[in-house]
Amino acid sequence: MEPPRSFEHAPALGIDRIPAPVREAALRLAADPGAGYVYDPLLAADRVRTLRKVLPAWARVYFAVKANGFEPMLAHLAESVDGFEAASLREARASLAALRERRGGPGARIAVSGPGKTPELLAGLARLRGEHGADVVVNLESALEAHRASAAAVAADTVLPVTIRVNPARVPVSGSLVMGGAPGPFGVPEDEVPEVVATVSSLPGLDLTGFHVHAVSGNTDARAHAAYVLWCLEWARSTADRHGVDLRTVDVGGGLGVPFEEGDEAFDLEGFGAALADVPDPGVELVFEPGRWITAPAGWYATRVTDVKSAHGGTFAVVRGGINHFQLPTSWEIRHTFAVLEEESWPDPLPRPEALGASVTVSGELCTPEDVLARDVRVASVRAGDVLVFPNAGAYGFEFAMPAFLGHPAAARTTVDTRSP
């Protein structure tokens, strides 16, 4: 893994940028066990409702469980989403449990993605549908996967609705992560789609409902993303017409970006909705699967500073957690700025190191130089014992970390209502 790219020094956030209930919960987590996540599930559910308001009535909003699978988060989201997107049997079961708890039954669809679906996974999904009545649709990623899904459906005496995930030859939009128009394990290459359509249509136990074209992630250009959605619809319709597919579903994935760093442009939700507002009803279920956009702003990572030290001109705040809790900043080369919560208590007579008016690098407790959460962030003051709070940590935080390295305790998780005074 390459080290994070260099940034010009940027200031730490003021504590006023962290809601009071989050600050209180962060201090509790930092006291014991030392680090963890604070989530506001109600805020995440409100973001779903906000997104739905700007989208056409024919659009559907699923939540990508891989972004945040915390059960209280799923329980609240189950009240506002049209479905969940899962990538494992565990995620599918957790989604079904949340839907049944909040709706008294499935009441929404569970779409299952992933490039490596095993026979065991597909058999479990078929049983969820056949034995438990779950509304499961499988996004197929290869001809072999279609054969395995067919065998699983027949064995469970059910019919699995499926889409074909496509890796298009070109992707008319960019983002922080592109998964189409380039070599990769995701989906069926566009030139092989006719063959896979014929295969799926010939197999028992499968009902081909459409296509899945999730090809970009982390896009903050709303108008470009709207054009991408319309391109997906046009491509799916023309492909279905050419190959005799009864098109009922077009899944365009997620891809709505969030501004991680100060100065980054936020996704223009109103502009996105306006660009889609005059589109005639396509007569299909258009599915969005955002994860990051829904929950990233509804989460904060808090960690206690265990030491402050200087070495060869650099200043370091060493924290209780690190990439074993919160790996995304290093993996994506994001500088997650943070706020410093002062902690006045300190055990006497221990020395208390401090950095004043310095640019600090936040390092974790792992024995690797890659364990860095932020580089060159200017702080007015940071001391051993203070607490750092990183906003925009509600997606791909706990779930995306590497907790097994060195065997330190996993990050704790708790919830708050930021609307509380």
Side-chain angles (χ1 to χ4, degrees):
M1 183 185 296
E2 295 293 326
R5 66 182 186 269
S6 297
F7 296 92
E8 294 183 0
H9 299 193
L13 301 174
I15 60 171
D16 60 317
R17 298 284 297 275
I18 309 298
V22 175
R23 297 199 298 266
E24 294 167 5
L27 291 171
R28 290 194 298 269
L29 285 177
D32 184 21
Y37 287 90
V38 181
Y39 299 131
D40 184 350
L42 295 173
L43 174 59
D46 283 345
R47 289 179 67 81
V48 173
R49 286 186 277 269
T50 299
L51 176 59
R52 289 172 63 93
K53 285 180 181 178
V54 306
L55 292 177
W58 38 263
R60 302 291 180 265
V61 177
Y62 293 12
F63 173 67
V65 179
K66 65 178 71 68
N68 190 318
F70 193 38
E71 287 81 358
M73 183 69 79
L74 298 182
H76 282 85
L77 289 175
E79 298 177 343
S80 56
V81 297
D82 297 298
F84 288 104
E85 185 268 332
S88 69
L89 190 56
R90 182 182 182 279
E91 287 188 351
R93 287 171 173 161
S95 300
L96 182 60
L99 291 167
R100 286 181 168 165
E101 176 186 350
R102 290 303 172 111
R103 298 190 179 193
R109 174 163 287 182
I110 301 169
V112 183
S113 304
K117 301 183 195 71
T118 64
E120 294 78 14
L121 168 60
L122 293 165
L125 296 174
R127 287 194 297 271
L128 282 182
R129 181 170 177 82
E131 299 174 13
H132 302 283
D135 188 4
V136 175
V137 59
V138 178
N139 300 318
L140 299 174
E141 305 225 12
S142 72
L144 174 58
E145 197 168 282
H147 282 276
R148 287 172 171 163
S150 172
V154 169
D157 193 24
T158 190
V159 174
L160 274 175
V162 298
T163 68
I164 295 173
R165 179 169 180 174
V166 180
N167 182 341
R170 66 180 184 89
V171 180
V173 67
S174 62
S176 59
L177 183 63
V178 175
M179 294 169 288
F186 299 102
V188 175
E190 186 174 351
D191 60 355
E192 297 179 16
V193 167
E195 178 183 350
V196 177
V197 166
T199 297
V200 173
S201 300
S202 70
L203 291 170
L206 302 182
D207 176 21
L208 179 57
T209 68
F211 300 99
H212 182 289
V213 198
H214 178 42
V216 66
S217 182
N219 183 29
T220 55
D221 187 334
R223 292 195 175 276
H225 204 77
Y228 163 74
V229 170
L230 298 179
W231 174 83
C232 288
L233 276 170
E234 180 182 355
W235 183 94
R237 175 58 69 192
S238 62
T239 302
D241 289 346
R242 283 198 305 272
H243 302 292
V245 176
D246 178 15
L247 187 66
R248 285 159 280 159
T249 306
V250 179
D251 190 328
V252 298
L256 282 62
V258 297
F260 284 107
E261 300 173 25
E262 289 294 292
D264 282 356
E265 186 175 347
F267 190 86
D268 179 7
L269 201 61
E270 294 295 332
F272 183 61
L276 298 176
D278 296 330
V279 177
D281 187 337
V284 301
E285 183 179 72
L286 178 70
V287 176
F288 292 89
E289 297 176 354
R292 180 179 298 105
W293 188 89
I294 291 173
T295 58
W300 298 259
Y301 177 65
T303 181
R304 185 180 70 249
V305 178
T306 60
D307 204 350
V308 176
K309 58 178 70 174
S310 297
H312 301 295
T315 303
F316 299 86
V318 184
V319 298
R320 178 63 181 83
I323 59 174
N324 58 324
H325 290 172
F326 189 31
Q327 190 177 1
L328 189 66
T330 291
S331 293
W332 276 35
E333 297 184 354
I334 298 168
R335 179 167 55 189
H336 259 81
T337 48
F338 53 85
V340 180
L341 302 187
E342 295 182 354
E343 175 59 70
E344 295 306 323
S345 62
W346 181 253
D348 292 330
L350 296 179
R352 191 176 192 184
E354 178 180 23
L356 295 172
S359 291
V360 302
T361 291
V362 180
S363 300
E365 58 189 333
L366 304 184
C367 298
T368 168
E370 296 175 353
D371 190 7
V372 173
L373 299 185
R375 291 181 184 272
D376 299 329
V377 177
R378 292 197 309 273
V379 297
S381 169
V382 63
R383 303 167 296 177
D386 287 341
V387 178
L388 308 186
V389 181
F390 295 77
N392 269 334
Y396 301 102
F398 182 92
E399 289 75 9
F400 195 66
M402 45 182 295
F405 187 49
L406 299 192
H408 289 301
R413 292 180 286 181
T414 190
T415 62
V416 298
D417 181 355
T418 55
R419 299 171 300 183
S420 301

